[in-house]
Amino acid sequence: MDIREYLGDIILIIILCASTYLSLVTIRAPPALVAYGLLIVLSIAGLFLIVHHKIRTVEQNITNRERMIRVSLEEISAKMAQRYESSIGRIEETVAEVAKRVYR
């Protein structure tokens, strides 16, 4: 996990926690309520981080599969071109033989 990928999320989590703390302190909530509020905000922020991580993983898997499919398609097209060339060669040989027999 590269911290630079999640830096924006971490900054937003810090701002979210600070604003929650300040809003609860401003309305003179009891310390227990402030702690519970911060705990809820931190758990939601943790869920956001988990979702962000899973989305990154899915993106990487899709990119890897696209690469594998591209490589496979290139190999298949090369094999098909080779088979086409060999078939054309055999057809030309057959036509040449038939043409020789006809002229005899």
Side-chain angles (χ1 to χ4, degrees):
M1 181 166 106
D2 192 14
I3 194 75
R4 285 177 272 148
E5 292 179 5
Y6 300 98
L7 188 61
D9 291 340
I10 293 171
I11 290 172
L12 290 174
I13 289 171
I14 291 170
I15 292 172
L16 183 64
C17 289
S19 65
T20 302
Y21 176 76
L22 290 175
S23 65
L24 289 175
V25 168
T26 304
I27 61 170
R28 299 176 197 261
L33 187 61
V34 172
Y36 297 146
L38 286 175
L39 185 62
I40 290 171
V41 167
L42 283 174
S43 64
I44 291 172
L47 288 174
F48 286 149
L49 280 177
I50 290 171
V51 168
H52 185 215
H53 177 70
K54 289 189 185 256
I55 288 173
R56 290 264 186 195
T57 305
V58 167
E59 286 176 348
Q60 290 172 351
N61 288 340
I62 289 172
T63 322
N64 289 338
R65 286 189 181 166
E66 284 177 354
R67 284 186 201 138
M68 288 181 354
I69 289 172
R70 236 181 260 126
V71 168
S72 296
L73 285 176
E74 288 174 1
E75 290 175 2
I76 290 171
S77 66
K79 287 179 183 178
M80 292 299 291
Q82 183 182 8
R83 287 183 182 173
Y84 175 75
E85 293 296 326
S86 67
S87 296
I88 293 295
R90 277 189 261 140
I91 291 172
E92 287 175 350
E93 289 173 4
T94 306
V95 168
E97 287 178 24
V98 169
K100 286 181 187 176
R101 289 182 188 170
V102 168
Y103 288 120
R104 287 186 185 178

